[in-house]
Amino acid sequence: MTANNLEMSKQRGPVMEELTNEFCKGSFLQDFLFLRPELVSTNRELADLLVILDDKCLCIQIKARGSDSSLSGRCLADWAMKQLIRAGRQAAGAIRKVTTSEVSATHPWRGNVIFYAGDLIPVCGVALVEYFGQPFVLAPKVKHWTPKGGVGWI
């Protein structure tokens, strides 16, 4: 991957996050959406998008392929599977952190909003992967988080 393609790939991720935010506005309204919330203690991103309804939240992680179109067929499916697993791990981490850490998010109308540890109850994590290839079967065992605090398999 060239430096220019790497830069395009880095730019595509935030664009996909913003597009997902726009899509979610139709279902959740902008009042409940927080793009790129951060942990107060580290200033690290918690998730790509946080959807909050009352005290419940969804932690959404988004992966975009970028401008590199050299992948195709099985290589593209392998890339998508790796990104799905990566996004799933990040969503699981966000679920753990949102219950134990202060989270800061900038809202377009409300400005900076702080959610204190324990304010939010995660309902689930969502992993979105941009993929324009042939459908494929997921790996036989992909971890998923369960609301009881455990990790299951699909």
Side-chain angles (χ1 to χ4, degrees):
M1 180 180 278
T2 66
N4 190 31
N5 283 345
L6 180 61
E7 184 60 31
M8 291 288 287
S9 177
K10 287 181 181 177
Q11 293 171 2
R12 188 166 178 84
V15 169
M16 293 306 294
E17 293 165 8
E18 290 168 15
L19 288 173
T20 302
N21 183 48
E22 289 297 316
F23 177 80
C24 287
K25 281 181 189 178
S27 299
F28 302 112
L29 302 175
Q30 182 64 50
D31 294 345
F32 310 110
L33 302 175
F34 296 87
L35 191 60
R36 299 181 202 96
E38 295 180 345
L39 298 171
V40 171
S41 61
T42 62
N43 290 333
R44 293 187 66 193
E45 188 175 271
L46 172 73
D48 292 323
L49 184 63
L50 193 62
V51 180
I52 299 174
L53 299 170
D54 294 324
D55 62 347
K56 310 286 191 292
C57 70
L58 305 175
C59 300
I60 301 176
Q61 285 299 134
I62 303 161
K63 298 295 175 203
R65 188 162 155 241
S67 63
D68 182 16
S69 60
S70 64
L71 296 176
S72 63
R74 188 72 234 155
C75 290
L76 182 57
D78 288 345
W79 174 88
M81 179 55 73
K82 284 181 186 176
Q83 296 306 312
L84 179 61
I85 292 168
R86 185 174 169 211
R89 285 182 183 145
Q90 289 174 329
I95 287 167
R96 284 189 303 275
K97 288 286 188 185
V98 78
T99 59
T100 61
S101 304
E102 286 186 2
V103 176
S104 171
T106 302
H107 191 273
W109 303 317
R110 295 162 49 191
N112 192 42
V113 179
I114 302 287
F115 299 98
Y116 297 99
D119 281 355
L120 300 174
I121 301 167
V123 175
C124 71
V126 177
L128 297 176
V129 177
E130 178 188 37
Y131 177 74
F132 294 105
Q134 293 296 316
F136 65 93
V137 177
L138 294 175
K141 292 191 174 188
V142 176
K143 284 185 179 182
H144 74 280
W145 178 84
T146 62
K148 303 264 187 245
V151 175
W153 298 92
I154 57 172

